[in-house]
């Protein structure tokens, strides 16, 4: 059962000019296979060492999906909204919960334990995505410190840079490594381990946080001025960076952060049914980890799937999650090549 919605918290908007829009290549409208799940909005998808797909549903259930057509199995239930997932080195599942922070799930027993509930005092509100490096260091994002997922449009209305990237060292120390981000979201390492790539949904860009070399500790742009909103990320077998594009840009979204703050406060109080809606298209893009050029992708419409928020390669398929449908879906990777 989906928990009852809580009253909207107040917003504190500021004027902000969104970036310009640069085009991406035309992508294939690849044939989509939709796989229903026993609940709604499987936001992220990851694959474990056995080739099984994992996803978290809006009601807190975490499911394991047989990629060969078998039924989904509910493995665990958490109290809040599971978002980004990552299979850790030891086989356990790292789970971003909003609220609740970073959790760890034992896939054998379904037991869930808190790992990082707060950073420097304040409880994590919108833990969004997570990855672990070979040495056990964990990096994760918080989209905003002011709202939970239940009110994910709040930071969009505010247009404040309250997002961050955090690092958890193997000894349990947690540090903020990048702050001041516009809706921090997906995070994934480059194949060579030299950097992390992270997404800012509202700023419509991918950036690199360097782990090695002369630029270690610095942030540099990778893909900017995107014509849509980037969400979760994953690293492909050939090193390309897959990006879920949850929605294209539209006139309302571009106008909103430039509008008077007082007007946005009034608009925020409107019922959810009158708030801006996301167009449910199927959209994923792979970027070269060095140049930031788009090298593969898919963009199409489907009556039973869209609003892609997570994605992962599994064998010869690209699997996708969604915040808009009770299903995951996959396409053949070969069909994502640029024509």
């Amino acid at each position: 059962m989906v928990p009852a919605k809580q009253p909207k918290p107040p917003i504190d908007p500021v004027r902000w000019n969104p970036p310009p829009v640069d085009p991406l290549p035309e992508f294939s409208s690849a044939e989509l296979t939709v796989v229903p799940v026993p609940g709604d909005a499987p936001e992220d998808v990851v694959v474990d060492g056995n080739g099984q797909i994992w996803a978290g549903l809006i009601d807190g259930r975490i499911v394991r999906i047989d990629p060969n057509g078998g039924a989904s199995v509910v493995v665990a239930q958490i109290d809040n909204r599971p978002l980004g997932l990552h299979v850790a080195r030891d086989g356990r599942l790292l789970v971003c919960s909003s609220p609740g922070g970073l959790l760890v799930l034992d896939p054998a027993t379904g037991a869930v334990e808190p790992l990082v509930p707060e950073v420097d005092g304040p409880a994590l509100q919108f833990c969004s995505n997570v990855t672990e490096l070979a040495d056990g260091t964990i990096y994760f994002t918080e989209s905003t410190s002011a709202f939970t997922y239940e009110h994910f449009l709040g930071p969009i209305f505010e247009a404040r840079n309250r997002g961050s990237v955090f690092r958890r060292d193997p000894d349990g120390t947690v540090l903020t490594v990048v702050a001041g981000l516009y809706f921090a979201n997906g995070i994934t390492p480059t194949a060579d381990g030299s950097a992390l790539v992270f997404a800012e949904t509202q700023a419509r860009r991918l950036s690199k946080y360097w782990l090695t070399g002369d630029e270690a500790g610095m942030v540099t742009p990778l893909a900017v001025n995107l014509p849509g909103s980037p969400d979760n990320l994953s690293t492909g077998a050939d090193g390309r960076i897959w990006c879920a594009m949850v929605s294209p840009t539209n006139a309302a979204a571009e106008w909103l952060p430039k509008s008077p703050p007082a007007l946005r406060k009034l608009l925020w109080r409107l019922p959810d049914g009158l708030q801006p809606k996301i167009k449910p298209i199927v959209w994923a893009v792979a970027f070269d980890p060095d140049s930031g050029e788009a090298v593969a992708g898919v963009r199409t419409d489907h009556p039973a799937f869209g609003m892609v928020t997570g994605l992962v390669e599994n064998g010869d398929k690209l699997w996708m999650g969604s915040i808009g449908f009770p299903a995951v879906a996959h396409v053949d990777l070969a069909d994502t090549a640029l024509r």
Side-chain angles (χ1 to χ4, degrees):
M1 177 181 296
V2 178
K5 286 189 72 66
Q6 299 300 309
K8 284 184 178 180
I11 62 171
D12 184 19
V14 294
R15 287 185 186 269
W16 179 72
N17 287 318
V21 175
D22 292 338
L24 288 172
E26 293 292 327
F27 298 113
S28 164
S29 57
E31 182 177 352
L32 197 71
T33 299
V34 176
V35 180
V37 295
D40 198 23
E43 196 264 356
D44 196 15
V45 284
V46 295
V47 59
D48 67 18
N50 297 317
Q52 300 290 293
I53 304 295
W54 290 76
L57 308 180
I58 198 167
D59 62 4
R61 287 180 295 166
I62 297 173
V63 297
R64 185 179 64 240
I65 304 163
D66 182 346
N68 299 312
S72 301
V73 176
V74 178
V75 177
Q77 172 83 54
I78 69 171
D79 291 334
N80 297 304
R81 179 34 158 145
L83 294 171
L85 309 173
H86 180 77
V87 179
R89 297 177 306 156
D90 60 8
R92 295 189 298 172
L93 195 68
L94 300 174
V95 180
C96 293
S97 173
S98 178
L102 187 59
L103 315 176
V104 61
L105 161 65
D106 184 337
T109 65
V112 179
E113 299 177 356
L115 190 63
V116 185
E118 54 85 19
V119 177
D120 294 333
L124 290 163
Q125 296 300 307
F126 203 144
C127 189
S128 191
N129 201 237
V130 58
T131 193
E132 183 187 39
L133 304 185
D135 65 358
T137 304
I138 294 170
Y139 288 86
F140 61 99
T141 60
E142 185 179 41
S143 295
T144 172
S145 58
F147 301 88
T148 67
Y149 173 83
E150 181 178 8
H151 300 294
F152 69 88
L153 285 177
I156 304 300
F157 271 73
E158 274 202 340
R160 286 185 179 273
N161 55 339
R162 302 183 193 262
S164 300
V165 176
F166 302 112
R167 185 184 81 212
R168 183 189 186 273
D169 293 334
D171 65 4
T173 302
V174 180
L175 299 171
T176 303
V177 294
V178 187
L181 302 178
Y182 288 93
F183 207 108
N185 209 322
I187 188 166
T188 192
T190 56
D192 63 5
S194 64
L196 296 163
V197 179
F198 64 88
E200 291 174 85
T201 299
Q202 186 164 32
R204 293 191 277 102
R205 65 189 174 202
L206 306 185
S207 302
K208 293 174 92 169
Y209 173 74
W210 289 91
L211 301 173
T212 63
D214 293 341
E215 294 180 303
M218 298 176 60
V219 174
T220 59
L222 179 64
V224 300
N225 303 338
L226 297 175
S229 301
D231 205 287
N232 286 326
L233 307 174
S234 65
T235 305
D238 63 355
R240 57 188 169 181
I241 304 299
W242 277 105
C243 176
M245 300 289 279
V246 65
S247 67
T249 55
N250 60 70
E254 295 298 284
W255 166 83
L256 188 67
K258 296 184 286 188
S259 66
L263 176 59
R264 268 178 280 159
K265 288 183 179 181
L266 292 174
L267 294 174
W268 176 242
R269 298 190 189 116
L270 293 175
D272 288 347
L274 299 178
Q275 300 292 358
K277 296 296 185 293
I278 297 175
K279 180 184 178 182
I281 66 170
V282 181
W283 195 10
V285 184
F287 294 93
D288 183 278
D290 299 315
S291 68
E293 295 295 319
V295 293
V298 59
R299 181 167 179 168
T300 190
D301 295 301
H302 194 283
F305 195 76
M307 297 166 65
V308 178
T309 46
L311 71 185
V312 67
E313 290 184 8
N314 187 22
D316 60 356
K317 293 181 171 57
L318 178 70
W319 285 77
M320 294 171 282
S322 165
I323 57 167
F325 293 84
V328 295
H330 60 78
V331 297
D332 287 343
L333 275 170
D335 291 339
T336 67
L338 287 175
R339 297 291 190 257

